[in-house]
């Protein structure tokens, strides 16, 4: 095992075993039997080490998403994605809190990849006419809600003892995002933003819209504004 891998493995174990998820570089060096210069040479500083720990721990979770084949129903994929996200947080509370700590000035690579996968699934939903808002806004809504629920469950278990709350929040957020969750009696003005989100997604995927690059960018901006308008 390389020195870098040994330091990373030890740091991940100490994070998991810590009562509050806090670790010191000194403790990591002692457990890994390396000097501080070696740690800083491989990771730059403590934040670099912690970011690497998050990516290391989150990699197995992301591997299931990378290898997952898309179904014909992106909404179902997104429901399952929400549930697997919360399940990961419950099984790795210290790592999850670390991943979403305000002290992490630079988002870990794994967090960026998770957001990209979420947005890709939402773009599939938009192309099928199932989104009420633009994919980028939908991704922000879903990610912030999922993260909030997961953090409350792992950080405030006394106040939030019911894990089933996650499914209820998921369904409430999805009802605001997906047209498939809207009742048949929905007002007509809800159809306009939905159509704009669908057209915007199709325009992004199209290479033969007949518009110039500048026109396409302007049209996409207009469609996003319509799809994200308050209703």
């Amino acid at each position: 095992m390389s020195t870098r891998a040994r330091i990373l493995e030890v740091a991940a174990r100490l994070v998991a075993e810590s009562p509050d998820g806090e670790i010191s570089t000194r403790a990591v060096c002692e457990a890994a039997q390396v000097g501080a210069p070696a740690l800083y040479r491989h990771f730059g500083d403590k934040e670099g080490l912690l970011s690497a720990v998050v990516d290391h721990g989150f990699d197995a979770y992301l591997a299931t998403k990378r290898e997952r084949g898309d179904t014909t129903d992106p909404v179902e994929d997104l429901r399952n994605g929400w549930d697997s996200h919360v399940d990961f947080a419950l099984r790795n509370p210290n790592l999850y809190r670390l991943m979403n700590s305000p002290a992490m000035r630079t988002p870990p690579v794994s967090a960026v990849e998770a957001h990209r996968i979420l947005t890709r699934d939402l773009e599939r939903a938009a192309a099928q006419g199932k989104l009420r808002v633009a994919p980028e806004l939908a991704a922000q809504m879903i990610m912030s809600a999922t993260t909030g629920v997961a953090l409350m469950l792992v950080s405030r278990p006394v106040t939030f003892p019911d894990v089933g709350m996650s499914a209820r929040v998921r369904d409430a957020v999805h009802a605001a995002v997906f047209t498939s969750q809207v009742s048949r009696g929905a007002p007509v003005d809800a159809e306009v933003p939905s159509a704009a989100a669908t057209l915007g997604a199709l325009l992004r995927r199209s290479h033969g819209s007949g518009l110039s690059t500048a026109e396409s960018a302007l049209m996409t901006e207009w469609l996003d504004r319509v799809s994200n308008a308050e209703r």
Side-chain angles (χ1 to χ4, degrees), residues 13 30 39 50 60 82 87 90 92 106 135 139 145 161 168 186 201 218 227:
R13 175 172 57 80
E30 290 178 352
L39 185 151
L50 294 178
W82 177 299
D87 179 67
L90 292 172
N92 304 273
T106 303
R168 290 191 286 274
L218 182 59
S227 62

Side-chain angles (χ1 to χ4, degrees), residues 22 43 87 104 130 137 152 156 172-173 180 190 212 220:
E22 287 292 327
F43 300 99
D87 179 67
M104 300 288 283
K130 295 180 178 180
L137 176 59
M152 290 301 99
R156 303 286 187 271
V173 173
S180 59
S212 68
T220 299

